[in-house]
Amino acid sequence: MSSSSSSQQRLNQLTSHLTTMEGSSASIFQQVPKAAPDAIFHLTAQYKADTDPKKINVGVGAYRTDELKPYVLPVVKKADAILFNNKDLDHEYQPIAGTPSFTNAAVKLILGEDSVAIREHRAVGVQTISGTGANHTGAVFLSQYYKKSNHCYISNPTWANHRNIFSMAGFQVNTYPYWNDKTRGLDFEGMLQCMRDAPDGSVYILHACAHNPTGVDPTMEQWREIADVMQSKGHFPFFDCAYQGFASGDLDRDAAAVRYFVERGFELFVAQSFAKNFGLYGERTGNLTIVGKSPQVAQHILSQIEIAQRAEISNPPAYGARIVDIVLNDAALYAEWKENLKYMSNRIKEMRHALRSRLEELQTPGQWNHTTDQIGMFSFTGLKAPQVKVLKEKYHIYMTDNGRVSMAGLSTTNVDYFARAVDDVVRNVSV
Ligand code: LMR
């Protein structure tokens, strides 16, 4: 062999070796793009990493005391003690759909004791991984068994997770107008017109109370008109109820829209979260309430959801559901829970008034009545992304880019600073 042909051979071997190396070192997931971090939870991480003592987190919707500490509801502490002292307690699996004493109590809570759907045995519940899981479980069921339309409508703006949940379940996700930036209130006509124009039988995601992110709810009169249009178009109402009792301090008032739709004869789903109203954020405690036309329909839906639940989580987690179960099924604890709810919602209302009065004293350009007109955890301020950016960079105030403020992040000690910062960006940051 000549020296040139042997060096050619060695080169070929090396090339082939390198190709093999490359082949084995290249990931089969090479094409996976990096996703953007979650808008809400990334803010919390940024806030935690910020060392400025003046920092404020009005990003995530999680209740804080006036000392800006997480709040364990006193009634939850009592239920916790009952659990702790229960010598018979074990850690066996829960039923696939959750423990009936929990799901029945959750259904009763949202529909009301005297609900016609409960009397007629056509309302059932399934325990879910908080409100997100309830949305997901309902969406997955609908994507398989709801044949009228593949279109679903979420509000604009909305809680960002709605889009992901329903599109991942296979829905074509559209938006309906909700916020009127000029009036800083509900775009009621836009919402109704969209409902009229939507394909018949579309699935509509409606916020039962304390709309996230705007804090703007339809009046009862407006809910009646919404129900009229939805009925005439055969749309399916899917309520998301994350704030029952937390929004107004009144459990019945916050459930009024759902109950009205049930009275009108709709079949519907309600996603319930016990994160905010029980402070059980990390325990992921929720329920999907299903109202069907007949007991048989409701039971059949439940049976199919049990199959899906078994495949996804097998059995729901026990701890949070046990707490809620204890409280909802004990008259004295239930009464105490209502007081805890009033305490939390009152602090939020006080912060709304404090912020509005500070902004009015500063004569911050614009109208600020929406701050107190809105309800629940969030205020949609009308601040725009460039202003939000300056609030973060200059003032260490963390809120979502759409100008949503979690009122629970404000306190008697930081509301002045917050108002002055808002005043500065409203005056000086062009949008
Ligand atoms: C929020 O909107 O901030 C909360 O509901 C937390 C979440 O899950 O997005």
Side-chain angles (χ1 to χ4, degrees):
M1 195 188 282
S2 73
S3 81
S4 81
S5 78
S6 79
S7 60
Q8 181 60 46
Q9 205 176 18
R10 274 204 303 280
L11 189 63
N12 286 349
Q13 276 169 353
L14 190 63
T15 311
S16 132
H17 180 64
L18 281 177
T19 311
T20 314
M21 292 260 298
E22 201 178 86
S24 64
S25 68
S27 169
I28 52 170
F29 301 112
Q30 208 72 46
Q31 81 293 356
V32 178
K34 184 162 166 36
D38 181 82
I40 292 174
F41 287 100
H42 184 56
L43 269 184
T44 304
Q46 288 181 309
Y47 166 80
K48 282 190 177 156
D50 188 332
T51 52
D52 192 286
K54 294 187 299 303
K55 66 180 179 175
I56 300 180
N57 187 5
V58 284
V60 67
Y63 184 78
R64 294 286 175 264
T65 63
D66 198 46
E67 293 73 40
L68 300 172
K69 297 272 184 278
Y71 183 57
V72 182
L73 275 61
V75 78
V76 167
K77 283 192 181 151
K78 285 195 183 165
D80 212 9
I82 292 171
L83 274 181
F84 184 77
N85 292 317
N86 180 353
K87 298 290 171 251
D88 295 330
L89 195 75
D90 55 40
H91 297 286
E92 291 295 290
Y93 293 122
Q94 292 210 96
I96 293 170
T99 301
S101 53
F102 164 79
T103 53
N104 291 339
V107 170
K108 199 164 83 181
L109 181 70
I110 187 68
L111 300 184
E113 281 193 53
D114 54 353
S115 170
V116 61
I118 295 180
R119 273 205 312 275
E120 293 173 0
H121 305 286
R122 52 189 182 79
V124 290
V126 54
Q127 192 193 324
T128 57
I129 306 293
S130 203
T132 300
N135 276 282
H136 167 77
T137 300
V140 168
F141 170 82
L142 290 174
S143 70
Q144 209 181 342
Y145 289 99
Y146 183 74
K147 296 296 175 206
K148 284 171 82 176
S149 170
N150 184 38
H151 285 263
C152 99
Y153 281 79
I154 61 176
S155 64
N156 181 21
T158 194
W159 180 54
N161 223 5
H162 277 151
R163 178 177 288 286
N164 290 345
I165 292 169
F166 283 86
S167 68
M168 281 186 186
F171 276 94
Q172 182 161 330
V173 180
N174 313 277
T175 59
Y176 60 87
Y178 196 82
W179 170 254
N180 181 330
D181 205 36
K182 284 202 193 73
T183 62
R184 303 212 163 159
L186 180 64
D187 181 1
F188 185 54
E189 272 319 309
M191 179 180 182
L192 282 191
Q193 194 52 48
C194 176
M195 283 183 165
R196 292 188 196 104
D197 295 342
D200 289 355
S202 295
V203 173
Y204 260 78
I205 317 307
L206 302 165
H207 299 225
C209 62
H211 178 266
N212 181 359
T214 66
V216 174
D217 287 342
T219 62
M220 268 325 285
E221 187 47 44
Q222 289 171 329
W223 279 119
R224 285 185 197 104
E225 285 187 57
I226 292 169
D228 288 344
V229 177
M230 290 200 49
Q231 221 151 27
S232 71
K233 291 284 297 180
H235 294 330
F236 180 81
F238 192 146
F239 282 96
D240 188 355
C241 186
Y243 301 95
Q244 191 184 356
F246 187 98
S248 67
D250 179 338
L251 289 159
D252 296 324
R253 190 174 150 195
D254 293 346
V258 171
R259 294 178 187 177
Y260 175 70
F261 272 62
V262 172
E263 277 163 30
R264 287 280 298 256
F266 282 91
E267 294 190 294
L268 52 81
F269 285 180
V270 192
Q272 291 165 269
S273 163
F274 295 104
K276 326 279 172 178
N277 55 11
F278 270 87
L280 290 171
Y281 303 91
E283 304 306 339
R284 314 310 293 140
T285 310
N287 184 68
L288 178 69
T289 288
I290 294 151
V291 176
K293 280 280 183 210
S294 68
Q296 192 196 43
V297 165
Q299 288 301 332
H300 286 194
I301 295 173
L302 181 60
S303 71
Q304 293 298 340
I305 288 180
E306 281 180 312
I307 301 288
Q309 176 113 307
R310 172 82 170 115
E312 288 203 324
I313 61 165
S314 194
N315 322 72
Y319 176 71
R322 283 174 172 162
I323 297 278
V324 173
D325 191 341
I326 288 171
V327 173
L328 295 187
N329 288 304
D330 179 289
L333 293 177
Y334 186 68
E336 187 174 337
W337 178 49
K338 290 207 232 176
E339 293 309 311
N340 292 178
L341 284 168
K342 283 202 190 101
Y343 164 79
M344 289 192 289
S345 60
N346 280 341
R347 194 184 97 66
I348 300 283
K349 283 180 206 154
E350 279 165 25
M351 282 305 109
R352 289 185 179 282
H353 285 282
L355 178 59
R356 177 176 173 182
S357 65
R358 300 297 190 288
L359 290 169
E360 288 177 348
E361 273 158 34
L362 292 163
Q363 299 186 345
T364 308
Q367 293 282 315
W368 297 99
N369 55 300
H370 60 281
T371 314
T372 49
D373 294 346
Q374 295 164 352
I375 182 167
M377 185 79 99
F378 302 112
S379 175
F380 211 57
T381 54
L383 293 169
K384 302 288 180 290
Q387 297 167 324
V388 170
K389 187 165 181 281
V390 175
L391 283 171
K392 188 187 327 179
E393 286 166 4
K394 182 168 169 192
Y395 291 102
H396 306 267
I397 293 173
Y398 293 80
M399 70 176 72
T400 48
D401 284 349
N402 59 9
R404 183 190 85 164
V405 167
S406 172
M407 296 305 294
L410 296 183
S411 72
T412 46
T413 49
N414 70 14
V415 67
D416 273 325
Y417 173 77
F418 181 84
R420 280 198 303 275
V422 169
D423 183 71
D424 176 22
V425 298
V426 169
R427 289 178 197 278
N428 301 315
V429 180
S430 50
V431 291

